[in-house]
Amino acid sequence: MKTNVKTLSLAYVGRQALLTALAVAVSVALPQVCHLLGAQLGIGTSLGEMLLPMHLPVMLAGLLWGPWVGTMVGLFSPLASFALTGMPLPGMLPFMTVELVGYGLCAGLLSRRAMPTVCKVLVAQVAGRALRAVALLTAVGMEWTQLPVSLIWTSITVGVAGIALQLILLPVVVRTVRR
C-alpha cells in the first residue's frame, strides 16, 4: 500500500494546530481563574503575578509537543489573552510575549534531550527571563517604554511561587502524560 505524504503532512499540521489552539485556550483560561480567585481572596490580579499561570501551558506545550508548538503557544497566548481580556496590560504585552516565546521555544528544543525534566524547565525559565530582560533593556535604551528596569528583578521575586510551581508540577505532568 502506497502512503500519501501530502495526507500525512496535512494530518501532522492539523494535529499541531489543534494542540496549539488547545494550549492557547488553557493559557488564556488559567490566568482568569487566578484573577477570579484573587478577587475572592481580596488580592486582585496579584495571585496571577505570583503563580504565573500562563507560563505553565506554554512550557508544557514545548516539553510535550516540541519547539514549533511551544513557540506558537508562547506567541499566541498573550495576544489572545489581551484580545479577549485586556490582559496583560498593553505596556507589558510585548515583553511578556518575548518571554513566553522564549519559554516555549527553549522547552521545545530541550524536549527530546536526555536530561531530567526539571532541568529542562529551569533552563527554559532562565532563557525566557533573559529574553524578557534583553527586550526590556533594549526598549528602555531606545526610549520605547517608560517601564522601570527594576521590573526585571521584581517580576522574578514576585513570581517565586510560580517558578517553584513550574519546577514541581511540570515534571510530574510530563511524566504522567508520557506514560
Side-chain angles (χ1 to χ4, degrees):
M1 175 155 51
K2 192 171 159 183
T3 304
N4 187 337
V5 174
K6 186 176 182 179
T7 302
L8 287 176
S9 297
L10 288 175
Y12 177 77
V13 170
R15 180 178 182 273
Q16 299 296 87
L18 180 63
L19 293 171
T20 301
L22 176 64
V24 168
V26 172
S27 292
V28 172
L30 276 180
Q32 294 311 305
V33 170
C34 283
H35 295 320
L36 289 172
L37 184 56
Q40 292 297 315
L41 296 172
I43 57 175
T45 61
S46 62
L47 187 62
E49 294 167 16
M50 292 178 347
L51 296 181
L52 309 171
M54 192 176 283
H55 300 197
L56 289 166
V58 172
M59 279 194 257
L60 186 61
L63 291 168
L64 291 176
W65 305 311
W68 188 88
V69 173
T71 300
M72 292 299 105
V73 173
L75 176 64
F76 291 122
S77 292
L79 297 175
S81 181
F82 178 75
L84 295 169
T85 70
M87 296 181 81
L89 296 174
M92 293 300 300
L93 181 62
F95 307 109
M96 190 165 179
T97 303
V98 167
E99 178 183 22
L100 292 174
V101 164
Y103 290 149
L105 175 63
C106 187
L109 290 172
L110 295 173
S111 65
R112 301 292 178 228
R113 299 280 180 213
M115 62 192 291
T117 303
V118 70
C119 294
K120 296 174 188 180
V121 172
L122 185 59
V123 171
Q125 288 174 332
V126 170
R129 293 286 176 166
L131 287 171
R132 179 181 177 165
V134 168
L136 183 59
L137 290 170
T138 301
V140 167
M142 300 294 283
E143 298 180 0
W144 294 337
T145 186
Q146 298 297 318
L147 292 172
V149 173
S150 62
L151 186 63
I152 297 167
W153 182 248
T154 302
S155 66
I156 293 169
T157 57
V158 169
V160 164
I163 291 168
L165 182 65
Q166 294 162 16
L167 289 167
I168 295 165
L169 189 59
L170 288 172
V172 171
V173 172
V174 168
R175 184 174 51 247
T176 301
V177 168
R178 290 208 171 134
R179 282 186 182 169

